[in-house]
Amino acid sequence: MARTKQDYIDAFYRRKGQALKTEKSLLKIRMKRGDLTLHEYNEIIEETKEYYKEWKDYKEPKKTRRKQGLF
């Protein structure tokens, strides 16, 4: 089953930070491979532009580990 443009957009909206940048790179690869046309790629990028600007530099908060030992 072929993925639709909406599937790619939904995948884009589920990502944040570095994963979002990776998703954008994957779209370029899919376009070069022939899964997407240049027109569809440009439409996806245009539609998700604001989201990309907002979340591209997002970093997950570091989780602190409880120290083991005597109290």
Side-chain angles (χ1 to χ4, degrees), residues 14-69:
R14 284 192 298 266
R15 307 283 190 255
K16 291 180 184 170
Q18 185 59 44
L20 185 60
K21 294 176 185 177
T22 304
E23 189 67 30
K24 190 172 182 180
S25 297
L26 286 173
L27 282 175
K28 282 185 183 177
I29 292 169
R30 289 180 181 120
M31 182 184 66
K32 290 177 183 176
R33 198 172 65 184
D35 294 346
L36 286 171
T37 63
L38 179 61
H39 182 68
E40 288 174 326
Y41 172 78
N42 289 335
E43 285 178 351
I44 291 169
I45 295 302
E46 185 64 33
E47 193 168 324
T48 57
K49 185 177 11 178
E50 292 300 319
Y51 182 81
Y52 184 78
K53 283 181 187 176
E54 182 180 345
W55 290 103
K56 68 179 179 172
D57 295 326
Y58 176 79
K59 290 189 179 7
E60 288 285 333
K62 292 189 177 183
K63 296 186 168 123
T64 56
R65 292 177 50 181
R66 209 174 120 225
K67 293 184 180 181
Q68 300 288 326

